[in-house]
């Protein structure tokens, strides 16, 4: 039998893994509320409680979602610098967001059911 070494729990690594699976859906949800440029999306993610998310994470994801037709962008004049790309959800993005939200809800319901303590044996020793 192989015994695994005890490794310290790294909450940041776990959070990163969870976010990686949900980031595209979260960005689409934010854009469904209101179009935004990349900097604004980073700010909204931080305000939502995700902590610091780098621009190096957000911009490549926006580019990939644009190539997939989930978001579109338009150049808008910036009051403090060069024009910036403002991203908005496309019709296809709305369809994908709806499907992904349903899939996410089924998934979290399943995980919650597995993590929920058994009702018939609330105290386990």
């Amino acid at each position: 039998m192989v015994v695994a070494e005890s490794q310290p729990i790294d909450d940041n690594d776990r959070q990163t893994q969870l976010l990686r699976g949900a980031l595209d859906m979260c960005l689409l949800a934010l854009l469904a509320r209101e179009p935004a440029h990349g900097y604004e999306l980073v700010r909204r993610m931080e305000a939502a409680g995700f902590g610091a998310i780098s621009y190096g994470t957000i911009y490549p994801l926006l580019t990939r979602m644009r190539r997939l037709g989930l978001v579109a962008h338009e150049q808008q004049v910036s009051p403090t610098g060069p024009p910036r790309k403002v991203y908005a959800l496309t019709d296809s993005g709305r369809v994908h967001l709806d499907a992904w939200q349903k899939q996410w809800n089924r998934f979290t319901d399943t995980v919650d059911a597995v993590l929920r303590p058994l009702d018939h044996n609330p105290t386990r020793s």
Side-chain angles (χ1 to χ4, degrees), residues 47-64:
F50 285 104
I53 296 176
S54 75
Y55 302 106
T57 299
I58 297 295
Y59 283 107
L61 186 52
L62 287 169
T63 299
R64 184 173 66 80

Side-chain angles (χ1 to χ4, degrees), residues 44-98:
R44 288 184 198 174
M45 292 293 289
E46 289 175 355
F50 285 104
I53 296 176
S54 75
Y55 302 106
T57 299
I58 297 295
Y59 283 107
L61 186 52
L62 287 169
T63 299
R64 184 173 66 80
M65 290 191 304
R66 185 182 52 78
R67 272 192 257 123
L68 292 171
L70 304 177
V71 300
H73 70 76
E74 66 177 39
Q75 295 280 359
Q76 288 187 354
V77 176
S78 171
T80 60
R84 54 188 172 192
K85 293 178 183 175
V86 175
Y87 295 87
L89 211 55
T90 63
D91 290 341
S92 177
R94 287 186 195 286
V95 168
H96 278 78
L97 176 58
D98 183 56

Side-chain angles (χ1 to χ4, degrees), residues 12-57:
N12 288 332
D13 283 347
R14 187 73 178 153
Q15 180 71 18
T16 299
Q17 292 298 321
L18 291 169
L19 181 60
R20 187 172 290 139
L23 185 57
D24 52 358
M25 180 176 55
C26 290
L27 289 177
L28 290 181
L30 291 174
L31 290 172
R33 293 179 185 147
E34 182 180 3
H37 52 84
Y39 174 80
E40 176 65 17
L41 289 168
V42 168
R43 192 194 65 72
R44 288 184 198 174
M45 292 293 289
E46 289 175 355
F50 285 104
I53 296 176
S54 75
Y55 302 106
T57 299

